[in-house]
Amino acid sequence: MRTTIRKWFWAWEFDKEEKWLDEMSAQGKVLVSARYATYEFEDCVPGEYAVRLEMLEHDPASEEGKQYIAFVEETGAEYVGHVMKWVYFRKKAADGDFELHGDNATRIRHLSGIIRLLLPLTAVNVGAGLYNLGIGIAWDSAVNVVCAGLSAAV
């Protein structure tokens, strides 16, 4: 039976997302499709699969992305899908440990990709916050000061 669950994870919460997907597998639900904050599962033997995420440097549809996906599939993993540059793989737990970031260099490359994604968003948010703060002070606008505070909180 197919089950759809809508759940949001921030980009830096990929470990939490992987853990949740593995917990779903432990409950007998394996990931078969992932879209923006929407996950589709099918019934499986509880704990049959482990799921891992990877943020690629290139678009998954690009030649480099396809080569990386093919490389991971050669290890016995199955490509489930992608959301932007995030790709989802699953592998039967009986096949042994499933790690995409086995050494520090790949872990650093993965985290650097997340930082490259978040830096422009952070810059835009800081700019909007400062703009709202300036307007709020100049025009004595509480709404703009609140918006600046929300930008700072984010």
Side-chain angles (χ1 to χ4, degrees):
M1 183 172 91
R2 201 168 263 238
T3 305
T4 301
I5 297 177
R6 288 171 180 40
K7 191 170 176 84
W8 179 265
F9 291 96
W10 294 104
W12 57 86
E13 294 181 312
F14 64 93
D15 287 334
K16 185 178 175 182
E17 185 176 1
E18 282 183 352
K19 183 179 177 191
W20 176 71
L21 292 167
D22 285 343
E23 288 170 357
M24 293 299 293
S25 176
Q27 296 171 20
K29 300 285 183 189
V30 65
L31 183 69
V32 294
S33 173
R35 294 183 308 277
Y36 293 100
T38 304
Y39 302 86
E40 288 188 35
F41 299 91
E42 285 184 353
D43 293 338
C44 71
V45 174
E48 183 177 10
Y49 288 93
V51 178
R52 297 294 173 261
L53 289 77
E54 174 79 24
M55 176 178 261
L56 301 184
E57 292 181 40
H58 305 280
D59 188 272
S62 72
E63 190 58 37
E64 294 89 349
K66 289 177 184 177
Q67 288 175 359
Y68 181 78
I69 291 168
F71 168 74
V72 174
E73 287 180 324
E74 288 175 8
T75 69
E78 297 173 60
Y79 170 70
V80 177
H82 71 275
V83 175
M84 294 174 52
K85 290 185 177 183
W86 284 103
V87 290
Y88 293 77
F89 296 100
R90 68 181 186 196
K91 188 174 183 181
K92 291 200 176 209
D95 293 344
D97 240 6
F98 182 31
E99 279 301 321
L100 293 175
H101 314 115
D103 61 2
N104 287 337
T106 56
R107 183 80 171 171
I108 288 169
R109 188 171 56 246
H110 177 71
L111 294 173
S112 295
I114 295 170
I115 290 169
R116 279 192 305 274
L117 169 74
L118 296 176
L119 275 178
L121 297 174
T122 301
V124 168
N125 189 42
V126 168
L130 291 173
Y131 178 76
N132 274 308
L133 183 61
I135 289 176
I137 291 170
W139 293 354
D140 196 27
S141 170
V143 171
N144 289 93
V145 172
V146 169
C147 287
L150 290 173
S151 290
V154 170

